[in-house]
């Protein structure tokens, strides 16, 4: 119950609570627009409040008249300076003006040469929100313009961020950096995900974070394989810069201004956390990119990788392989060919034939692997990515074929390994018999394993989930 409440609180709709000063500037900007602009507003106010001085030649004035005239001009100039400053503050409260270091911004919303032809039609075809001005985006995500600017602004050194930082351990023992957006930004990113990104095209080979697909559908592509080749893209999310993300929104049909804001909302600079004199500083280490922890990042990688998936699918088809991608995991496989059993031959002949066939198959497979890896390296480089050579795995026939955590040996459906099932069965049985969990186990981790099993074998997985839920109730019920 607690977990559900926390999750709901993560996505609370932000309230556009403008400060008293912001409300004052917003009202003033409405007056400025009614006047026809800042210059017109300043001139009207000078006349209205009696500060406007009629210009006259001073040659025929007496010294006293000249002195009064100069004092009136000084009062007019002082009042004009105050009015211009207020008008500028009102303009900034209703406009973006500047977004930080190395971010180009213009309040001009006129068309440019990079705009897609018939952009509005493309937005309508893709069922995307029609947004032409920053104020329309701010209204759509329930923010004031200053709040929107604050979430987008690029600071090389910041004492406060719209992200909370923590690390989780990888399998190899190193730390994975997670940057989780604060509730206000998370709501905005969820809006972008649901209203924009989920309506854009991805390749059929992409299975990670795609509606209707999962680790099971990804693994199912490679069932009954004779050869399995698993590759990994190095620094996957950090490789997608905010300018590449901006290109996604431009290609979708949005103009420069909206595309810039959407890209900044979905990205953040990689940062180092430094503490000095009791103050925590977040120092940017490079250009903004997709943060691991933002709800928009996985969908954006799928869209960015559309051409990559097309090229790798074409390569796989050319080499007679099957291909799928789950986030940064690339998997290729060669379908196993069932050979007919010999009817009546001596055992020695069968062994010799089998051995020869295996050597020939290994030679063909090695040649295939070489061709594949060379081409994948080239394609990834051309698409702005790099291969993580340390994670390249070639698994041949006779070994366990594991794809995104699922065993795919044979022609059956993907399934969780027997080791995991045995471990879960033993742990649940031990608890039901009055025993205790190991130091590295909790009921939540057991629930995770059960849910994992349920994704491939629903009946078995849900039976474990029901048993674990009963154990949780028993633990929460006072003796």
């Amino acid at each position: 119950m607690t977990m559900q409440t926390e999750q709901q609180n993560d996505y609370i709709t932000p309230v556009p609570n403008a400060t008293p000063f912001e409300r004052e500037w917003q009202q003033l900007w409405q007056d400025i627009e009614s006047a026809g602009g800042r210059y017109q507003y300043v001139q009207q106010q000078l006349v209205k409040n009696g500060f406007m001085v009629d210009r006259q030649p001073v040659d025929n004035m007496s010294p006293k008249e000249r002195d009064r005239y100069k004092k009136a001009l000084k009062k007019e100039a002082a009042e004009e300076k105050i009015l211009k400053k207020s008008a500028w503050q009102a303009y900034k409260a209703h406009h973006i003006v500047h977004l930080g270091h190395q971010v180009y911004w213009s309040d001009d919303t006129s068309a440019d040469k990079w705009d897609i032809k018939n952009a509005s039609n493309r937005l309508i075809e893709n069922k995307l929100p029609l947004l032409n001005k920053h104020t329309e985006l701010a209204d759509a995500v329930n923010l004031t313009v200053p709040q929107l600017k604050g979430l987008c602004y690029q600071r090389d050194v910041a004492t406060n961020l719209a992200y909370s930082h923590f690390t989780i351990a990888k399998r190899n023992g190193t730390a994975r950096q997670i940057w989780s957006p604060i509730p206000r930004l998370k709501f905005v990113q969820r809006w972008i995900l649901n209203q924009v990104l989920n309506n854009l095209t991805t390749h059929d080979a992409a299975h990670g974070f795609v509606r209707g697909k999962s680790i099971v559908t990804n693994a199912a592509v490679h069932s009954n394989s004779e050869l399995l080749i698993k590759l990994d893209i190095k620094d996957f999310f950090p490789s997608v810069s905010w300018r590449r993300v901006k290109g996604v929104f431009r290609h979708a049909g949005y103009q420069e201004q909206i595309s810039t804001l959407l890209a900044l909302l979905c990205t953040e600079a990689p940062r180092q956390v430094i503490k000095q004199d009791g103050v925590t500083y977040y120092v940017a280490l490079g250009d903004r990119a997709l943060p691991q922890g933002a709800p928009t990042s996985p969908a954006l990688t799928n869209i960015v990788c559309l051409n990559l998936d097309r090229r790798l699918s074409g390569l796989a088809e050319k080499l007679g392989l099957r291909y799928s991608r789950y986030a940064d995991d690339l998997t290729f496989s060669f379908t196993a060919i069932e050979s007919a059993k010999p009817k009546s031959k001596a055992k020695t002949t069968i062994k010799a034939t089998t051995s020869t066939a295996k050597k020939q198959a290994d030679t063909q497979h090695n040649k295939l692997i070489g061709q594949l890896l060379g081409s994948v390296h080239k394609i990834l480089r051309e698409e702005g990515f790099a291969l993580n050579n340390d994670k390249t795995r070639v698994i041949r026939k006779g070994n366990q074929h594991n794809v995104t955590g699922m065993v795919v040996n044979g022609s059956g459906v993907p399934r969780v390994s027997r080791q995991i099932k045995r471990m879960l069965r033993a742990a649940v049985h031990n608890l039901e018999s009055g025993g205790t969990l190991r130091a590295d186990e909790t009921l939540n981790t057991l629930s995770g394993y059960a849910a994992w099993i349920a994704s491939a074998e629903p009946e078995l997985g849900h039976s474990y989930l029901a048993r674990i839920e009963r154990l949780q109730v028993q633990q929460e019920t006072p003796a």
Side-chain angles (χ1 to χ4, degrees):
M1 194 70 175
T2 306
M3 292 177 63
Q4 290 178 348
T5 304
E6 289 176 355
Q7 190 176 24
Q8 289 170 358
N9 289 339
D10 263 353
Y11 311 123
I12 288 177
T13 305
V15 179
N17 289 331
T19 66
F21 287 109
E22 288 172 351
R23 287 194 292 270
E24 179 185 341
W25 300 135
Q26 288 170 1
Q27 180 58 52
L28 179 55
W29 181 249
Q30 292 177 12
D31 297 338
I32 291 171
E33 286 188 317
S34 299
R38 282 183 288 164
Y39 175 80
Q40 291 83 349
Y41 170 79
V42 170
Q43 300 304 307
Q44 288 177 19
Q45 291 299 307
L46 290 172
V47 172
K48 179 181 177 181
N49 297 322
F51 286 96
M52 182 67 77
V53 179
D54 292 333
R55 269 43 179 182
Q56 299 175 9
V58 297
D59 295 341
N60 298 327
M61 290 183 183
S62 66
K64 288 185 178 181
E65 288 174 336
R66 188 180 295 116
D67 187 55
R68 285 196 299 269
Y69 182 66
K70 287 183 178 179
K71 286 182 179 179
L73 287 175
K74 286 183 179 180
K75 284 185 178 180
E76 179 192 301
E79 182 65 17
E80 183 179 17
K81 184 177 181 180
I82 293 172
L83 288 169
K84 283 183 176 179
K85 183 177 180 180
S86 296
W88 176 242
Q89 293 290 346
Y91 181 89
K92 289 199 297 182
H94 207 71
H95 294 77
I96 299 294
V97 183
H98 182 57
L99 284 172
H101 183 57
Q102 292 187 338
V103 178
Y104 171 77
W105 175 264
S106 172
D107 286 325
D108 182 11
T109 58
S110 57
D112 63 37
K113 65 179 182 179
W114 304 110
D115 287 339
I116 298 293
K117 291 183 179 179
N118 301 318
S120 295
N121 291 339
R122 177 171 291 193
L123 292 174
I124 292 170
E125 288 172 2
N126 289 327
K127 299 179 181 179
L128 304 182
L130 297 174
L131 303 171
N132 296 307
K133 296 181 180 179
H134 65 277
T135 50
E136 295 173 354
L137 175 59
D139 290 341
V141 295
N142 212 27
L143 297 176
T144 65
V145 172
Q147 287 171 341
L148 176 62
K149 179 180 177 180
L151 293 178
C152 296
Y153 201 88
Q154 168 60 22
R155 295 173 179 84
D156 288 343
V157 179
T159 54
N160 287 293
L161 283 183
Y163 290 84
S164 57
H165 174 249
F166 59 93
T167 61
I168 58 175
K170 296 182 182 179
R171 291 181 181 177
N172 60 8
T174 60
R176 186 188 301 278
Q177 305 294 324
I178 303 296
W179 295 88
S180 178
I182 61 174
R184 175 181 288 173
L185 178 57
K186 186 171 285 189
F187 170 83
V188 175
Q189 291 176 343
R190 281 284 176 188
W191 184 90
I192 295 172
L193 175 65
N194 294 326
Q195 300 299 321
V196 180
L197 301 180
N198 283 343
N199 293 322
L200 298 180
T201 303
T202 59
H203 197 274
D204 286 343
H207 289 259
F209 313 99
V210 177
R211 284 180 292 187
K213 295 186 178 181
S214 65
I215 58 173
V216 178
T217 61
N218 182 62
V221 174
H222 305 283
S223 292
N224 195 31
S225 297
E226 187 167 327
L227 180 69
L228 191 67
I229 306 162
K230 298 165 66 174
L231 310 175
D232 181 87
I233 299 176
K234 186 178 181 181
D235 298 329
F236 188 46
F237 283 4
S239 297
V240 183
S241 69
W242 81 272
R243 290 177 178 82
R244 293 182 76 178
V245 175
K246 179 180 173 181
V248 168
F249 294 113
R250 289 289 267 165
H251 186 72
Y254 288 111
Q255 292 182 313
E256 170 74 18
Q257 195 182 65
I258 296 298
S259 296
T260 298
L261 292 173
L262 291 173
L264 293 173
L265 287 167
C266 295
T267 56
E268 179 53 78
R271 294 183 182 269
Q272 182 176 358
V273 183
I274 298 175
K275 293 186 178 182
Q276 185 175 356
D277 299 329
V279 180
T280 301
Y281 297 94
Y282 302 92
V283 182
L285 301 177
D287 206 3
R288 293 174 77 103
L290 293 181
Q292 191 145 355
T296 44
S297 293
L300 278 164
T301 57
N302 285 337
I303 298 164
V304 167
C305 288
L306 176 61
N307 197 54
L308 171 68
D309 288 333
R310 283 172 176 164
R311 295 182 68 181
L312 292 180
S313 292
L315 172 65
E317 185 177 353
K318 180 181 177 181
L319 297 177
L321 299 171
R322 299 173 295 187
Y323 163 72
S324 72
R325 181 179 59 81
Y326 192 97
D328 55 353
D329 292 329
L330 312 178
T331 307
F332 297 85
S333 64
F334 186 74
T335 309
I337 301 173
E338 296 293 338
S339 56
K341 292 182 179 180
K343 293 181 180 179
S344 55
K345 287 187 177 180
K347 289 184 179 181
T348 53
T349 306
I350 295 173
K351 288 180 180 179
T353 303
T354 303
S355 176
T356 303
K358 185 178 183 302
K359 288 180 181 179
Q360 291 177 344
D362 286 345
T363 301
Q364 291 176 347
H365 288 169
N366 290 337
K367 182 179 179 181
L368 184 67
I369 293 166
Q371 287 179 314
L372 176 69
L373 292 179
S375 298
V376 170
H377 268 288
K378 179 175 181 292
I379 292 172
L380 284 175
R381 185 174 62 252
E382 292 172 352
E383 295 295 330
F385 295 102
L387 199 62
N388 187 346
N389 294 318
D390 293 337
K391 290 189 176 182
T392 297
R393 299 287 182 271
V394 176
I395 308 170
R396 301 178 188 274
K397 190 174 182 180
N399 299 300
Q400 187 181 85
H401 289 183
N402 192 298
V403 178
T404 48
M406 295 287 173
V407 177
V408 294
N409 292 80
S411 56
V413 296
R415 55 218 176 267
V416 177
S417 68
R418 289 195 185 99
Q419 293 91 328
I420 296 295
K421 293 177 185 176
R422 287 169 184 163
M423 180 276 297
L424 182 60
R425 182 173 66 245
V428 172
H429 176 73
N430 187 41
L431 284 175
E432 290 174 337
S433 302
T436 59
L437 290 169
R438 294 191 321 225
D440 60 340
E441 289 178 339
T442 66
L443 284 176
N444 284 336
T445 58
L446 297 185
S447 293
Y449 284 122
W452 183 15
I453 294 172
S455 65
E457 301 174 69
E459 186 176 346
L460 178 61
H462 286 120
S463 69
Y464 278 123
L465 285 170
R467 291 167 67 182
I468 294 168
E469 187 175 349
R470 286 194 294 271
L471 289 168
Q472 287 174 326
V473 172
Q474 289 174 12
Q475 286 190 2
E476 293 170 1
T477 303

